[in-house]
Amino acid sequence: MRHPGCWKMLTVAMCMALLGCLQAQELRGHVSVILLGATGDLARKYLWQGLFQLYLDEAGKDYSFSFHGAALTSTKQGQAFVAKVLESLSCPEDVAPDRCAELKGQFQRLSAYRHLATSEDYVALSKDIEAQVQHGGLREAGRIFYFSVPPFAYADIARNINSSCRPGPGAWLRVVLEKPFGHDHLSAQQLATELGGFFREEEMYRVDHYLGKQAVAQILPFRDQNRKALDGLWSRHHVERVEIIMKETVDAEGRTSFYEEYGVIRDVLQNHLTEVLTLVAMELPHNISSSESVLQHKLRAFRALRGLQKGSAVLGQYQAYSEQVRREQQRPDSFRSLTPTFAGVLVHMDNLRWEGVPFILMSGKALDERVGYVRILFRNQAYCVLSDERWVADQSQCLPRQIVFYIGHGELGSPAVLVSRNLFRPSLPSESWKELGARPGLRLFGRPLSDFYAYRPVREQDAYSVLISRIFHGRKDSFVTTEHLLASWGFWTPLLDSLAHEVPRLYPGGAENGHLLDFEFGGAQLCFSQQQPEQLVPGPGPAPMPSGFQVLKAKYRESPLISAWPEELIAKLADDIEATAVRAVRRFGTFHLALSGGSSPVPLFQQLATRHYGFPWAHTHLWLVDERCVPLWDPESNFQHLQTHLLQHIRVPYYNIHPMPVHLHQRLCAEEDQGAQTYASEISALVANSSFDLVLLGMGADGHTASLFPQSPSGLDGEQLVVLTESPSRPFQRMSLSLPLINRARKVAVLVMGRVKREITMLVSRVGHEPKKWPISGVLPSSGQLVWYMDYEAFLG
């Protein structure tokens, strides 16, 4: 009490000490960032700048940092390289020059290069980090390892990190992986399994830099903030189509070794554009801040993707590409690459929200402009009596209605979100997005910019800066999980396999492409708008084009034979089926068509669905020639093939569709369920004299047809109309129309395609009537017509 000043001083000192303790406590979390491949091109262009931006955003907050550049480059060379890169770093415009210089100096002092090659090097790195943390009196929060290295190096690095360089208890580990993540589904699975042996799923962050693009990163927040306006619009009832586009003006020169292995679909569509598609198509979670919820909804969108067929894509290759490959990879002068540098793909979703809505994915090199965007185009059923000169942008319903997430470049030159004024005024976060100023004369998608509510970022950020920040904050929803990766490869691999030997259309490059690459679509098919032109450069290519041949008419086994290239053959068969249907309906009022399973009829189904609008489907009954004893929803079911490629694209009464009853009483093809007799009774009741108007058959490499197999007496003779049979391959049990029933048909068409059928085609041409050895030889309608449809490869080899 005698010295009140002393008490005051003591109290102040205690408060200051306590405050200092609290501040120290706040800064005790230390994060080490290890950039592997620190002297590489990606690191030089983007990653060091992204790490600097992370430091700018987080400096002085809860964590302290150290940045370790690591590579196989020697210590002296690596230090010189990193020093040069660090000197070139820049701050955003809103950071004052003095402050920028101060922060840049701090970042340079916190960053160092080290040679990292052996397991001993990883042990030394870990000890250095631990010593740094201990010396600063800090607590280690976690370590980030950024793999900016080729995938073949992943396993060794992962093994060393897992064994020697994990942080201690209580600290997290985050491992960042760059694409490519495999070449197909199998290689992606192998890579995932290998990495899964070293890291947990929550520790891995696979980077797709498109998910860091500001316009792409805004898709989910935009949908969330505008739920009220979009709930009634974001569906098949209002959306006409969705376009997801990435165009480039550069070609693949200098990168042909990579491009020869991957091509445009693997390089861009399988990852970047598919990820964007899921953001547009997925159901919106109640809470988009929940990474787990977002990832679950994205996975459901992946699983709703309808399988792609060969006809779902068009491919192109710029004219100079093969010459570049020959030069860069020392290939012979005769070499001609089949690698596509341009692709357009038509994708559909099999769910109620998006059923029937086309999603168009397109990317290419050596095109007329550099631009990327996602465009949702809405249906417009309005008609305006006033002329378009008097249409008002925010009132006229006759103007196009669209929402565009403009990823960058192009006429705008920056990321943007555009909403037609005749839709609604969107809500975007004002702290990060601002309205674009007037740009007189600028037109986008055929309309002046003034037709849109247009917004751009307040501050443009590089995609890697965005993603590095999200890695630091543990936001997994901006990255590709193992499940998503395998789902994507599962979707794309069948298409890639089917296109492996497809010859891409040549195009000159740039504006000279004209309309050469324009494509159009109908149903599940996509095709170029213009016919294949003359080759732009001489060289070995596929000889001669199908258009150089006429349909060949001849005899085969004493019956009419029609032979052509596959595309023309399918078109001819579809025309013949339609003509038969029209005649039958005109004469009898109905048309009874029995269709075979397998892969050969798939192009025919697609042709009928997309090119034959005059087909009398309302009066057509569809039957199956044979069926595998699997549930009707099984991918191996012939009915499922029919449903996927034909039924869901046409308007045929459901009671005119007659699947085979192979699944009764929760059993498959049980004799006691009498499924074969049930189908026979249905045929007898509905088909006059049990004589189908047309039966479509195929021919197996062993001479079987329908599900009637060699050395098996089932269904080759007798009174039964429908029989159960045994196949030599899985699934073994089958149900099939019998040979006597097939031979009652008014017309039987046998479709034979592919070089693998050449041997059996030659054999069957010489044999007599021997159905027990070759069931196809027993097909001869008693009072109808048999016509063979063979492509040139099956007929001529």
Side-chain angles (χ1 to χ4, degrees):
M1 295 294 292
R2 290 186 202 171
H3 305 285
C6 292
W7 283 107
K8 282 186 179 179
M9 290 174 63
L10 184 59
T11 303
V12 169
M14 289 176 65
C15 288
M16 292 295 290
L18 180 60
L19 181 60
C21 287
L22 289 172
Q23 288 176 334
Q25 184 69 30
E26 286 178 358
L27 293 174
R28 275 183 188 165
H30 184 81
V31 176
S32 305
V33 182
I34 301 93
L35 175 54
L36 300 151
T39 58
D41 202 44
L42 182 65
R44 178 180 61 83
K45 287 181 178 177
Y46 300 108
L47 300 182
W48 279 112
Q49 181 65 49
L51 294 176
F52 181 45
Q53 185 61 53
L54 174 68
Y55 184 70
L56 292 176
D57 293 340
E58 302 297 332
K61 294 183 182 177
D62 297 342
Y63 295 94
S64 60
F65 290 90
S66 59
F67 299 92
H68 306 264
L72 300 178
T73 309
S74 69
T75 303
K76 186 176 179 180
Q77 285 181 311
Q79 286 173 340
F81 178 93
V82 169
K84 188 175 180 180
V85 172
L86 295 181
E87 192 56 45
S88 68
L89 298 175
S90 60
C91 296
E93 292 178 2
D94 57 354
V95 178
D98 290 348
R99 178 62 175 157
C100 179
E102 179 187 353
L103 290 168
K104 185 173 171 180
Q106 292 173 9
F107 183 75
Q108 288 172 321
R109 288 191 291 275
L110 294 171
S111 302
Y113 175 82
R114 65 192 304 140
H115 180 75
L116 198 61
T118 66
S119 56
E120 290 78 15
D121 293 335
Y122 283 87
V123 172
L125 170 62
S126 190
K127 286 181 177 178
D128 287 351
I129 292 172
E130 290 165 6
Q132 184 179 9
V133 170
Q134 190 174 7
H135 181 73
L138 303 168
R139 175 186 62 82
E140 184 169 17
R143 299 179 189 180
I144 297 172
F145 285 85
Y146 199 118
F147 284 45
S148 181
V149 295
F152 65 76
Y154 283 4
D156 284 342
I157 294 172
R159 187 178 295 106
N160 283 320
I161 292 171
N162 186 54
S163 63
S164 311
C165 218
R166 278 184 170 273
W172 44 256
L173 172 68
R174 290 175 190 152
V175 174
V176 188
L177 307 165
E178 278 282 346
K179 81 175 184 79
F181 312 122
H183 185 266
D184 53 19
H185 188 269
L186 179 61
S187 59
Q189 176 71 71
Q190 290 170 339
L191 184 59
T193 302
E194 197 168 33
L195 289 171
F198 303 114
F199 306 125
R200 298 191 300 274
E201 179 63 33
E202 62 268 23
E203 294 175 331
M204 291 186 282
Y205 290 70
R206 290 183 185 85
V207 168
D208 185 323
H209 78 273
Y210 247 58
L211 292 176
K213 300 275 187 182
Q214 286 174 287
V216 174
Q218 188 59 30
I219 292 174
L220 284 188
F222 178 89
R223 291 180 59 190
D224 183 51
Q225 290 154 17
N226 296 278
R227 280 181 193 258
K228 189 173 180 181
L230 290 175
D231 273 351
L233 291 173
W234 211 257
S235 74
R236 62 191 168 94
H237 301 296
H238 298 282
V239 175
E240 179 184 311
R241 68 186 188 193
V242 178
E243 300 169 2
I244 304 174
I245 308 299
M246 193 191 94
K247 296 168 68 176
E248 295 184 274
T249 53
V250 298
D251 60 22
E253 189 165 15
R255 295 184 68 224
T256 58
S257 59
F258 170 84
Y259 232 72
E260 273 299 276
E261 186 175 357
Y262 287 91
V264 68
I265 294 180
R266 290 181 174 90
D267 185 37
V268 179
L269 278 77
Q270 178 273 328
N271 39 71
H272 304 326
L273 303 194
T274 307
E275 286 292 327
V276 174
L277 184 155
T278 61
L279 294 175
V280 174
M282 64 185 272
E283 294 300 313
L284 197 59
H286 292 297
N287 178 14
I288 67 164
S289 298
S290 165
S291 292
E292 184 180 353
S293 185
V294 169
L295 290 171
Q296 285 175 351
H297 282 72
K298 280 183 72 175
L299 189 58
R300 287 176 199 154
F302 271 117
R303 289 171 176 164
L305 292 169
R306 184 187 304 166
L308 296 171
Q309 303 299 321
K310 192 174 181 179
S312 304
V314 290
L315 304 178
Q317 183 191 96
Y318 64 82
Q319 182 177 338
Y321 178 77
S322 284
E323 193 278 326
Q324 289 173 346
V325 176
R326 290 194 290 269
R327 184 176 66 250
E328 291 181 14
Q329 300 183 42
Q330 290 80 51
R331 300 291 185 95
D333 292 343
S334 60
F335 173 79
R336 165 91 177 270
S337 174
L338 295 181
T339 300
T341 62
F342 167 88
V345 178
L346 180 62
V347 176
H348 284 93
M349 306 287 293
D350 277 332
N351 59 28
L352 280 176
R353 182 181 291 277
W354 297 111
E355 183 183 7
V357 176
F359 286 75
I360 301 161
L361 277 57
M362 186 271 281
S363 184
K365 290 188 173 293
L367 301 182
D368 62 315
E369 63 174 338
R370 182 186 183 190
V371 70
Y373 60 84
V374 185
R375 183 184 181 215
I376 298 96
L377 187 64
F378 293 88
R379 301 183 193 278
N380 199 337
Q381 297 175 322
Y383 175 79
C384 298
V385 175
L386 289 175
S387 66
D388 59 358
E389 294 175 0
R390 295 179 174 84
W391 291 353
V392 181
D394 56 355
Q395 295 175 5
S396 174
Q397 291 304 304
C398 286
L399 286 167
R401 302 191 301 160
Q402 48 195 324
I403 295 174
V404 181
F405 298 95
Y406 202 87
I407 298 169
H409 306 293
E411 290 292 322
L412 267 180
S414 68
V417 176
L418 311 172
V419 178
S420 294
R421 288 182 178 270
N422 58 352
L423 272 173
F424 60 90
R425 175 180 279 277
S427 172
L428 281 93
S430 58
E431 69 278 5
S432 53
W433 291 81
K434 62 182 180 181
E435 284 207 58
L436 263 169
R439 302 273 290 272
L442 177 61
R443 295 176 70 84
L444 296 168
F445 308 103
R447 303 303 307 168
L449 185 61
S450 58
D451 274 11
F452 298 94
Y453 295 112
Y455 298 81
R456 60 168 295 172
V458 171
R459 187 180 83 183
E460 282 191 50
Q461 283 187 283
D462 173 70
Y464 282 97
S465 296
V466 173
L467 291 175
I468 287 171
S469 174
R470 294 189 175 189
I471 293 162
F472 173 72
H473 289 288
R475 284 298 310 236
K476 286 283 286 184
D477 52 308
S478 295
F479 301 90
V480 181
T481 67
T482 301
E483 270 192 300
H484 293 164
L485 175 68
L486 297 180
S488 180
W489 275 121
F491 173 66
W492 284 101
T493 297
L495 176 71
L496 288 163
D497 289 345
S498 72
L499 296 173
H501 303 293
E502 193 77 0
V503 179
R505 170 172 290 195
L506 290 174
Y507 59 95
E512 293 180 29
N513 295 334
H515 298 290
L516 191 60
L517 296 178
D518 292 353
F519 53 83
E520 52 195 58
F521 53 89
Q525 291 278 4
L526 192 111
C527 61
F528 284 118
S529 301
Q530 292 187 0
Q531 289 189 349
Q532 172 72 45
E534 295 291 327
Q535 276 191 273
L536 297 170
V537 291
M545 294 302 296
S547 56
F549 291 83
Q550 297 296 315
V551 171
L552 172 67
K553 296 185 178 180
K555 289 276 187 180
Y556 181 80
R557 289 183 58 83
E558 304 304 317
S559 293
L561 166 70
I562 294 172
S563 190
W565 291 103
E567 191 174 325
E568 292 178 329
L569 183 70
I570 291 297
K572 171 64 175 166
L573 176 54
D575 286 342
D576 289 353
I577 292 174
E578 181 175 358
T580 305
V582 169
R583 284 195 300 270
V585 171
R586 190 180 299 135
R587 186 173 177 187
F588 306 111
T590 57
F591 174 56
H592 289 275
L593 173 62
L595 294 168
S596 185
S599 58
S600 293
V602 168
L604 172 67
F605 298 161
Q606 295 170 340
Q607 179 85 9
L608 289 171
T610 59
R611 296 286 188 272
H612 289 264
Y613 301 111
F615 202 103
W617 293 115
H619 305 284
T620 297
H621 283 257
L622 292 168
W623 304 81
L624 284 177
V625 167
D626 64 328
E627 183 57 280
R628 299 164 182 200
C629 292
V630 296
L632 296 185
W633 58 84
D634 191 288
E636 290 193 326
S637 162
N638 289 340
F639 180 78
Q640 187 58 234
H641 272 230
L642 188 65
Q643 162 69 15
T644 301
H645 302 293
L646 180 63
L647 296 181
Q648 67 180 3
H649 305 296
I650 60 175
R651 295 177 64 85
V652 59
Y654 75 92
Y655 43 79
N656 283 9
I657 301 168
H658 308 280
M660 281 186 159
V662 293
H663 195 195
L664 297 172
H665 306 121
Q666 299 185 339
R667 295 183 294 196
L668 293 170
C669 294
E671 290 270 7
E672 55 268 35
D673 292 334
Q674 298 192 318
Q677 292 89 324
T678 300
Y679 205 56
S681 299
E682 193 175 357
I683 293 169
S684 299
L686 295 174
V687 182
N689 301 317
S690 298
S691 298
F692 290 106
D693 296 300
L694 192 148
V695 173
L696 176 69
L697 298 176
M699 178 169 67
D702 59 354
H704 84 264
T705 191
S707 281
L708 305 173
F709 298 96
Q711 313 301 330
S712 171
S714 300
L716 299 178
D717 50 27
E719 298 297 318
Q720 280 188 282
L721 301 183
V722 183
V723 295
L724 293 176
T725 67
E726 289 287 328
S727 165
S729 60
R730 291 181 181 274
F732 299 120
Q733 285 188 293
R734 308 287 177 95
M735 186 180 289
S736 177
L737 303 187
S738 68
L739 192 56
L741 177 58
I742 290 169
N743 283 335
R744 287 192 198 182
R746 292 187 174 91
K747 181 174 181 178
V748 176
V750 182
L751 176 62
V752 187
M753 298 179 70
R755 189 168 297 176
V756 295
K757 300 293 177 68
R758 173 62 181 144
E759 190 173 332
I760 189 64
T761 299
M762 290 180 62
L763 176 63
V764 169
S765 71
R766 298 193 296 263
V767 304
H769 184 83
E770 298 184 68
K772 289 188 177 180
K773 289 186 177 179
W774 300 283
I776 190 69
S777 71
V779 176
L780 190 61
S782 52
S783 57
Q785 183 187 30
L786 170 63
V787 181
W788 297 82
Y789 293 81
M790 294 187 188
D791 70 358
Y792 286 138
E793 288 196 332
F795 183 50
L796 302 173

